[in-house]
């Protein structure tokens, strides 16, 4: 039986572990904290815009277990807010135990508080990874899903500290790039001004600190839009956000709140408390994490990879989530994680690796990001099914649809139906759409 180790327990790592296990591997997941989902614990926006198409593709390909969990844990469904339609908002309070239970049921060995800090290599192969307490874990193939933030010092070096610190680096230690430890140079994302990294585009407020009338409206509708008083409008804030799908004029002119269960997700960063409390209904508002001038820094570490998500320069290392591209979002993490986990098993068994055809949004996103990154300005872009340049591409190329039958037919036509349900077969037929 192939042995696969997944480093990192965010959405990408969970998806990779699940598909690798379903493909017949013995799977160990190493997570440095005491919980799964990483950035998935902050907010929970699914199925908005092109993420609906991607979610239904994943279901048709046999990898829909995690999508089902977020659907079941939804606080609100079919929510619309500026620039976004038919969103599902899952409760970040409820979803993690469900994912943990699923992986355990499927036989994935979960090792919490195991921070990987180094690797042992032999030529181009990773032989084992080493945790902070000096334990060695050997495997045939490894999948890195450590995210893109790098060590916690980056938050101060490139940002203003960490305002959405679900990563909890001070308690559990910083994330380490496995690809870098294996001698492979990572790509670093840039901002429009040429500085490194990106700021997260949102933060969270304690719901109990909202005015009761505002809280009632938020919990009833799922979203609330508060016009920004003229003297508080700051157009320059749009250019520094990682989440390009929210860098729209509506997010400068309005303060938008979403109900994600335990917190009110505020889709605008950098409101000092004194400024925030000038909004009606927010007179006593408090931030759930940190303060109004800080926010987390991301997209500092992306591994070079091919479209099978195998890391270039390594014989047996794969990557997914933000580690595999400047992707934004939970759905994007699940899509890349699922492919990386399956290909890890194929690699271990000496079978050809799979690339998802570009007729599907999953394959097109993975291929497009790799191409765009090498073009002028590519390091300054972020890629998501829900907005920015990639959602525009989906619309222009007719890839965006909410017609579930059409999505299932596309998947079937290119030979990807049930891909993640299958046992570890050597190859998969691919057929181009007419």
């Amino acid at each position: 039986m192939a042995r696969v180790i997944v480093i990192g327990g965010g959405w990408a790592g969970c998806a990779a572990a699940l598909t690798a296990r379903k493909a017949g591997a013995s799977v160990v997941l190493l997570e440095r904290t005491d919980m799964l989902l990483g950035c998935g614990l902050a907010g929970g926006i699914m199925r908005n815009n092109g993420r609906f198409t991607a979610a239904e593709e994943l279901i048709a390909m046999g990898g829909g277990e995690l999508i089902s969990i977020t659907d079941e844990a939804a606080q609100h469904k079919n929510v619309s807010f500026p620039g976004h339609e038919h969103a599902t908002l899952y409760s970040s309070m409820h979803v993690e135990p469900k994912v943990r239970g699923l992986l355990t049921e499927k036989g994935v060995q979960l090792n919490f508080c195991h921070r990987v800090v180094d690797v042992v290599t032999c030529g181009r192969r990773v032989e084992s990874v080493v945790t902070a307490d000096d334990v060695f874990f050997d495997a045939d193939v490894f999948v890195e899903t450590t995210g893109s933030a790098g060590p916690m010092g980056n938050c101060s070096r490139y940002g203003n500290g960490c305002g959405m610190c679900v990563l909890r680096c001070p308690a559990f230690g910083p994330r380490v790039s496995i690809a870098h430890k294996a001698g492979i140079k990572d790509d670093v994302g840039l901002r429009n001004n040429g500085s490194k990294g990106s700021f997260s585009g949102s933060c969270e407020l304690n719901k109990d600190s909202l005015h009761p009338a505002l809280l009632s409206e938020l919990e009833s509708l799922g979203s609330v839009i508060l016009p920004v008083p003229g003297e508080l409008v700051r157009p320059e804030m749009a250019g520094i956000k990682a989440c390009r799908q929210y860098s729209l004029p509506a997010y400068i002119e309005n303060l938008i709140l979403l109900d994600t269960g335990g917190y009110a997700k505020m889709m605008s960063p950098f409101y000092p408390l004194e400024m925030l409390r000038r909004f009606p209904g927010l007179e006593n508002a408090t931030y759930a994490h940190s303060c109004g001038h800080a926010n987390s820094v991301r997209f500092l570490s992306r591994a070079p990879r091919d479209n099978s998500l195998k890391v270039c320069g390594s014989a047996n290392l794969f990557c997914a989530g933000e580690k595999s591209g400047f992707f934004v979002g939970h759905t994007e993490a699940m899509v890349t994680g699922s492919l990386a986990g399956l290909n890890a098993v194929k690699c271990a068994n000496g079978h050809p690796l799979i690339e998802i055809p570009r007729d599907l949004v999953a394959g097109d996103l993975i291929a497009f990001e790799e191409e765009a990154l090498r073009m002028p300005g590519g390091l300054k872009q972020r890629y998501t099914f829900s907005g920015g340049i990639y959602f525009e591409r989906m619309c222009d190329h007719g890839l965006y649809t909410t017609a579930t039958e059409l999505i299932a037919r596309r998947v079937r036509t290119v030979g990807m139906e049930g891909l993640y349900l299958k046992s570890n077969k050597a190859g998969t037929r691919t057929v181009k759409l007419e």
Side-chain angles (χ1 to χ4, degrees):
M1 179 183 290
R3 299 171 302 158
V4 174
I5 285 182
V6 178
I7 305 106
W11 278 122
C14 292
L18 194 55
T19 55
R21 184 73 186 122
K22 287 161 64 179
S26 167
V27 181
V28 173
L29 189 153
L30 302 176
E31 163 57 37
R32 70 187 173 93
T33 74
D34 58 355
M35 294 179 74
L36 296 173
L37 300 191
C39 289
L41 294 168
I45 306 173
M46 303 286 290
R47 290 185 176 272
N48 50 324
N49 295 348
R51 286 175 179 158
F52 187 99
T53 311
E56 290 297 323
E57 266 189 13
L58 195 54
I59 291 170
M61 295 168 74
E65 294 93 338
L66 298 179
I67 297 291
S68 296
I69 285 178
T70 57
D71 284 346
E72 292 167 6
Q75 198 84 3
H76 301 276
K77 293 184 177 180
N78 202 24
V79 175
S80 296
F81 50 94
H84 297 262
E85 301 291 337
H86 47 72
T88 292
L89 307 178
Y90 71 69
S91 170
S92 54
M93 299 292 104
H94 299 150
V95 77
E96 195 269 350
K98 294 178 181 293
V99 175
R100 186 186 295 228
L102 173 67
L103 294 185
T104 302
E105 175 192 326
K106 296 296 183 183
V108 175
Q109 181 182 328
L110 301 175
N111 286 8
F112 293 98
C113 301
H114 279 66
R115 187 168 71 92
V116 175
V117 298
D118 209 347
V119 302
V120 176
T121 59
C122 180
R124 296 172 62 244
R125 291 188 62 83
V126 177
E127 298 289 326
S128 58
V129 292
V130 188
T131 59
D133 51 355
D134 213 27
V135 177
F136 289 66
F137 288 84
D138 301 333
D140 300 308
V141 184
F142 299 81
V143 182
E144 180 179 10
T145 65
T146 60
S148 61
M152 57 186 163
N154 285 341
C155 294
S156 297
R157 185 176 181 185
Y158 300 109
N160 305 320
C162 184
M164 200 171 66
C165 196
V166 293
L167 304 180
R168 296 181 292 164
C169 296
F172 293 100
R175 295 191 281 192
V176 174
S177 168
I178 306 306
H180 176 75
K181 286 289 183 181
I184 298 162
K185 184 179 180 182
D186 286 338
D187 294 312
V188 179
L190 301 175
R191 301 172 200 165
N192 288 334
N193 64 6
S195 58
K196 296 179 179 178
S198 298
F199 286 102
S200 286
S202 59
C203 52
E204 293 177 321
L205 303 179
N206 289 309
K207 284 171 65 173
D208 287 345
S209 69
L210 308 183
H211 187 281
L214 180 63
L215 177 60
S216 176
E217 183 179 358
L218 179 67
E219 292 187 332
S220 173
L221 301 176
S223 66
V224 168
I225 301 173
L226 301 175
V228 177
E231 69 275 16
L232 299 184
V233 172
R234 300 167 301 161
E236 69 278 9
M237 289 294 110
I240 63 173
K241 297 170 69 171
C243 307
R244 308 308 299 166
Q245 67 271 34
Y246 308 124
S247 295
L248 304 173
Y251 291 79
I252 297 300
E253 298 161 359
N254 301 284
L255 195 153
I256 298 166
L257 302 180
L258 303 180
D259 181 15
T260 55
Y263 302 110
K265 189 173 179 66
M266 192 172 91
M267 308 306 291
S268 304
F270 306 120
Y271 271 96
L273 202 56
E274 291 300 318
M275 185 184 295
L276 183 68
R277 289 180 172 180
R278 292 166 65 178
F279 285 80
L282 301 181
E283 293 85 354
N284 299 309
T286 57
Y287 283 99
H289 310 289
S290 191
C291 60
H293 74 275
N295 213 312
S296 58
V297 170
R298 291 154 60 189
F299 302 107
L300 288 161
S301 175
R302 178 247 195 228
R305 49 81 179 168
D306 61 23
N307 290 340
S308 73
L309 298 183
K310 187 165 174 286
V311 175
C312 299
S314 176
N316 65 337
L317 179 62
F318 289 77
C319 59
E322 289 181 10
K323 192 66 191 180
S324 65
F326 294 145
F327 302 126
V328 180
H330 311 320
T331 308
E332 292 78 356
M334 293 178 195
V335 165
T336 54
S338 297
L339 180 63
L342 177 63
N343 275 334
V345 181
K346 289 187 173 294
C347 176
N349 290 329
H351 295 164
L353 304 182
I354 286 179
E355 294 183 10
I356 300 175
R358 297 189 70 161
D359 307 284
L360 305 182
V361 297
D364 191 58
L365 177 76
I366 291 170
F368 178 75
E369 191 269 354
E370 173 63 23
E371 294 168 356
L373 203 68
R374 310 303 165 192
M375 298 176 67
L379 292 171
K380 298 177 181 176
Q381 291 289 347
R382 304 296 174 258
Y383 305 87
T384 166
F385 298 118
S386 67
I389 62 169
Y390 187 71
F391 182 54
E392 292 174 6
R393 175 181 169 83
M394 286 180 67
C395 295
D396 292 343
H397 288 70
L399 290 168
Y400 168 55
T401 178
T402 58
T404 55
E405 283 299 321
L406 172 60
I407 297 167
R409 187 164 67 247
R410 285 178 177 171
V411 172
R412 193 162 53 246
T413 301
V414 298
M416 292 281 140
E417 185 179 38
L419 174 70
Y420 299 126
L421 291 176
K422 298 172 183 173
S423 59
N424 186 37
K425 293 183 178 178
T428 298
R429 183 174 62 91
T430 61
V431 180
K432 286 287 183 182
L433 278 173
E434 294 294 333

